[in-house]
């Protein structure tokens, strides 16, 4: 898996992962903070936090989609894969993983195309939120970005599996 190892050592690759981590931490803290401020304002200060839902919508979309991107990179999405329990041949497992990744990549590509169309439509529409007039592209555009990176990470995992050997399966805990 030399070519993948070289990719993982690139500064831009590490920077990309660091940016994703920073976005996840920041949006998590912002979401919790916004909700906390909303509760304090509503129940203690007895005033309304105007636009809370609109701000939280943007923050939550970034948290959701970047979380999906990072989950795609770490390959920790929820899976109902029981094949590894019953299939003991690493060659058959490898073929099965390749098939699953190709199907995932195809589905992700279709959704990324639709996400692009939707993002372009939102951009051309120039829509804004009702209260604070936040451009909708800030929350809706994350869908295309998320699906695009999920597709790229699917390609990354597909290459890793194609290049893998039986020793790689043993070394990685046969996952």
């Amino acid at each position: 898996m030399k070519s993948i190892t070289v990719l993982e050592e690139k500064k831009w690759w590490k920077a990309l992962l660091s940016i994703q981590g920073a976005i996840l931490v920041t949006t998590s803290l912002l979401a919790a903070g916004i909700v906390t401020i909303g509760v304090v304002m509503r129940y203690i200060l007895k005033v309304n936090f105007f636009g809370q839902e609109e701000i939280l919508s943007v923050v939550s979309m970034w948290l959701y989609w970047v979380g999906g991107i990072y989950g795609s990179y770490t390959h920790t999405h929820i899976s109902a894969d029981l094949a590894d329990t019953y299939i003991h041949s690493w060659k058959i497992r490898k073929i099965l993983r390749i098939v699953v990744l190709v199907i995932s990549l195809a589905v992700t590509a279709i959704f990324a195309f639709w996400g692009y169309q939707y993002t372009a439509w939102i951009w051309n529409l120039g829509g804004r939120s009702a209260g604070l007039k936040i451009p909708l592209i800030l929350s809706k555009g994350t869908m295309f970005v998320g699906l695009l990176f999920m597709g790229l990470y699917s390609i990354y995992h597909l290459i890793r599996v194609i290049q893998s050997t039986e020793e790689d399966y043993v070394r990685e805990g046969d996952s």
Side-chain angles (χ1 to χ4, degrees), residues 110-123:
I110 291 167
F111 283 122
F113 176 72
W114 288 340
Y116 168 76
Q117 289 181 321
Y118 181 64
T119 301
W121 179 70
I122 291 291
W123 179 264

Side-chain angles (χ1 to χ4, degrees), residues 130-160:
L132 297 177
K133 305 298 183 204
I134 299 171
L136 293 178
I137 195 74
L138 290 177
S139 62
K140 308 295 184 191
T142 59
M143 182 185 315
F144 172 63
V145 172
L147 290 164
L148 183 67
F149 275 96
M150 287 178 196
L152 291 173
Y153 286 141
S154 290
I155 293 168
Y156 161 77
H157 285 295
L158 181 61
I159 292 168
R160 284 188 71 197

Side-chain angles (χ1 to χ4, degrees), residues 1 165-174:
M1 288 197 287
T165 63
E166 185 173 9
E167 294 153 6
D168 294 325
Y169 278 80
V170 173
R171 194 173 332 122
E172 293 177 5
D174 209 24

Side-chain angles (χ1 to χ4, degrees), residues 72-92:
S72 183
Y73 165 70
T74 59
H75 213 66
T76 54
H77 284 306
I78 295 173
S79 171
D81 186 12
L82 296 174
D84 287 349
T85 306
Y86 299 106
I87 299 172
H88 300 290
S89 165
W90 78 271
K91 287 181 183 181
I92 294 174

Side-chain angles (χ1 to χ4, degrees), residues 15 42 47 58 123 145:
R42 177 171 286 149
V47 294
V58 173
W123 179 264
V145 172

Side-chain angles (χ1 to χ4, degrees), residues 23-90:
I23 291 171
L24 287 173
V25 169
T26 302
T27 54
S28 295
L29 294 173
L30 279 172
I34 291 167
V35 170
T36 302
I37 290 168
V39 168
V40 168
M41 288 179 73
R42 177 171 286 149
Y43 296 107
I44 297 175
L45 302 176
K46 306 291 185 197
V47 294
N48 192 17
F49 181 175
F50 179 73
Q52 174 185 0
E53 294 85 6
E54 293 177 17
I55 297 168
L56 197 55
S57 174
V58 173
V59 171
S60 297
M61 288 296 279
W62 277 97
L63 176 61
Y64 177 80
W65 285 102
V66 176
I69 292 168
Y70 196 75
S72 183
Y73 165 70
T74 59
H75 213 66
T76 54
H77 284 306
I78 295 173
S79 171
D81 186 12
L82 296 174
D84 287 349
T85 306
Y86 299 106
I87 299 172
H88 300 290
S89 165
W90 78 271

